[in-house]
Amino acid sequence: MEPIDKIIKVLEDFGMSGVKAAEAMGITHATFRQKKNENSIRHTFNEKNYQDLVLFIKNKASEL
């Protein structure tokens, strides 16, 4: 499964906004939108973006 597919699934499963996802991945919202654009070849999500998102969610969950 490609990183973009994994990221989109996490966003849908947790109902996360693009703003919060960008914050979790340490990128700007504009960069998030570019990477999410299916027609973009130069800018795509990578495994690090996915790992940053998962780590953010785990850290927030451990605070509960």
Side-chain angles (χ1 to χ4, degrees):
M1 184 181 279
E2 293 294 317
I4 189 167
D5 298 325
K6 295 190 290 189
I7 289 170
I8 297 301
K9 179 164 178 15
V10 169
L11 297 181
E12 289 174 356
D13 288 350
F14 287 93
M16 290 181 74
S17 70
V19 173
K20 187 52 86 174
E23 176 189 330
M25 289 185 246
I27 58 177
T28 66
H29 187 246
T31 300
F32 174 84
R33 286 192 325 264
Q34 285 178 337
K35 288 181 177 225
K36 191 175 177 195
N37 181 357
E38 294 177 359
N39 297 324
S40 178
I41 295 172
R42 275 187 54 215
H43 303 283
T44 59
F45 290 111
N46 56 41
E47 191 64 28
K48 181 183 180 319
N49 296 135
Y50 173 71
Q51 293 301 325
D52 289 343
L53 181 61
V54 170
L55 182 61
F56 176 84
I57 292 170
K58 286 180 179 180
N59 288 338
K60 289 296 181 184
S62 71
E63 292 174 7
L64 298 176

